Amino acid sequence: MLDLTLTEIAEALQGELVITDAAEAAGYSPATVVNGTVDTDSRLIGEGDVFVAKRGEFDDGHRFVGSAVEAGAALVVVEHPVELAVPQIVVADSVLALGYFATDVVARVRASGDLKIVGITGSNGKTTTKNLLRAILERVGETVAPRDSFNNEVGAPLTMLKLTPSTRFLVAEMGASGKGEITRLIRMAKPDVGVVLTVGLAHAGEFGGIETTLATKTEMVQDLEPGDVAVLNRDDARVAGMAEKTAAQVLWFGLSDSAAVRATDIDATASGTSFVLHLPDGSAHAVRFAVLGEHHVMNALAAAAAAHVLGVPAVDIVSGLEVVTRAERWRMEVMGGRDGVRVINDAYNASPDSMAAALKTIALIATPEQRTTAVLGEMSELGPYSVEEHDRIGRMVVRFNIHRLIVVGEGARAIHLAAEHEGSWGGEAIFVETADEAYALIEADTRPDDLILVKSSNSAGLRFLGDRIAEAHSLGGETA
């Protein structure tokens, strides 16, 4: 965080600075400078940090103020006064105050330096693209990007508050569960480059339909100015239509010949994907991309396009892409290895598009002699599309000739039913209620060189099942 006085922080938060007698006795005053990390998780607070007490759906951060102070917090942000030996800033709403604070810090860094901001949104691929772009930009300057999937009204501001006077690039992952949320994030940190990856059925139930999803994702480009650049997916018709909704310049990426940043000669294997990257200057560059799954090439193209706009040399774009070995924890993460057994744990998020891409990946990379198993759980937040889309995935398992399907949980039962009703399939479909049952089935019949995909939405909890299977088949591991 920037070096700011308590008075400056209180003004930014639009709150009231309270320094109790105990805090004053400890040496605090309105002129005290604070520059620690800002967080809403008291477990992550250290010496000199700022703890923001946020009310949540299931808990209240005010219960952990004491723990944060014991851990070394130099300042707490609260919605009601508490008796503390450190300063506190009292605000009406902690989440709104975080946004005010982030807006102020971004404005200060912009005014004093050469900060460039990239905003990334889309129904799928945001976190992977963010990680790839960070790997590229870090090669040429100080870069701030979110940890994990910090892309909402809390996570995005916390990332922005990590800016320093020497930060050159901010990569802001911007997610939403409803209209107006991306606009709110953009107004904290307006991008110089706005990236839109896809518009699909992920979270369509929450949004209320695909048209609302489209309108929400379009918010990324609507506030861009003529000197900004919208990096858009030429192969997604809904994203391509956003070119008419922005005043910014448009840079297309995709597999289409009309995309200025595109990939050719794509070759997906079990060790990654190789392709030739074409840039707008007419140059072509061979890329050996270690992230598993042909679908991640599109994320690589989006990251390459954004980096090109920011003036990053092609050699750094390629080396940045090649240094990343996995999309993210629990995203197409290759694990295991003992007796040739490979587990692809992709159970952090799931939408119809990402589920289809994962199934296509194991079908593509499996050798003719290799047995494939798909362990699939529910795709959440699909609303009225849920049964139809789970049914479609079950039929896709058959079309890709996956050898064994294990469906976990009542929410995913339609996958199992669809696979069973699809004709002329020599594979096997099994339905179980729990992850423990799925684990027992896997361990009772795992053969050398098996390729096992574990895929579901985060809420289904199958990422831990993926870890458990992988641990049982890790090199030197023990069966649980």
Side-chain angles (χ1 to χ4, degrees), residues 163-182:
L163 293 174
T164 72
S166 57
T167 301
R168 189 171 166 193
F169 304 108
L170 168 64
V171 181
E173 183 181 337
M174 296 180 174
S177 57
K179 290 181 70 173
E181 292 183 14
I182 290 176

Side-chain angles (χ1 to χ4, degrees), residues 40 61 70 83 97 127-128 214 223 241 245 269 291 326 413 470:
T40 58
E70 288 178 8
E83 191 60 37
T127 300
T128 301
L214 173 59
D223 280 357
K245 306 287 187 180
T269 70
V291 177
R326 67 179 184 185
R413 186 184 283 274

Side-chain angles (χ1 to χ4, degrees), residues 143-385:
T143 301
V144 169
R147 70 175 188 255
D148 302 325
S149 294
F150 269 39
N151 61 23
N152 62 9
E153 61 184 358
V154 175
L158 290 177
T159 298
M160 297 171 194
L161 290 169
K162 295 182 185 296
L163 293 174
T164 72
S166 57
T167 301
R168 189 171 166 193
F169 304 108
L170 168 64
V171 181
E173 183 181 337
M174 296 180 174
S177 57
K179 290 181 70 173
E181 292 183 14
I182 290 176
T183 295
R184 180 181 170 193
L185 297 177
I186 285 172
R187 290 176 182 171
M188 294 179 199
K190 188 193 74 63
D192 302 286
V193 182
V195 180
V196 186
L197 302 167
T198 59
V199 175
L201 286 175
H203 314 295
E206 266 190 329
F207 280 105
I210 191 67
E211 292 307 316
T212 306
T213 303
L214 173 59
T216 302
K217 300 303 182 185
T218 303
E219 293 171 17
M220 172 59 75
V221 302
Q222 286 176 323
D223 280 357
L224 297 183
E225 300 171 358
D228 301 327
V229 178
V231 173
L232 303 179
N233 183 347
R234 191 69 182 88
D235 300 345
D236 185 309
R238 294 188 180 96
V239 176
M242 295 180 189
E244 300 174 1
K245 306 287 187 180
T246 185
Q249 305 168 58
V250 173
L251 178 62
W252 300 110
F253 71 92
L255 304 183
S256 167
D257 288 342
S258 60
V261 178
R262 66 187 190 281
T264 60
D265 303 304
I266 298 172
D267 182 22
T269 70
S271 59
T273 307
S274 63
F275 62 94
V276 175
L277 170 66
H278 299 264
L279 294 174
D281 58 9
S283 61
H285 311 270
V287 178
R288 296 183 62 83
F289 191 45
V291 177
L292 189 65
E294 183 179 326
H295 55 294
H296 284 306
V297 170
M298 291 296 284
N299 300 326
L301 293 176
H308 178 80
V309 171
L310 296 171
V312 178
V315 64
D316 290 311
I317 293 175
V318 172
S319 58
L321 292 176
E322 291 187 334
V323 78
V324 178
T325 58
R326 67 179 184 185
E328 180 67 271
R329 180 80 167 100
W330 296 310
R331 289 177 171 89
M332 296 302 286
E333 184 174 13
V334 182
M335 310 166 78
R338 181 162 55 85
D339 298 325
V341 175
R342 287 284 185 269
V343 179
I344 301 174
N345 194 350
D346 192 26
Y348 188 83
N349 270 324
S351 68
D353 289 340
S354 68
M355 186 77 84
L359 290 169
K360 180 181 178 182
T361 295
I362 64 168
L364 278 175
I365 68 175
T367 64
E369 303 80 21
Q370 198 167 28
R371 185 175 67 160
T372 52
T373 298
V375 184
L376 306 181
E378 182 179 10
M379 300 178 288
S380 63
E381 300 175 356
L382 291 178
Y385 304 97

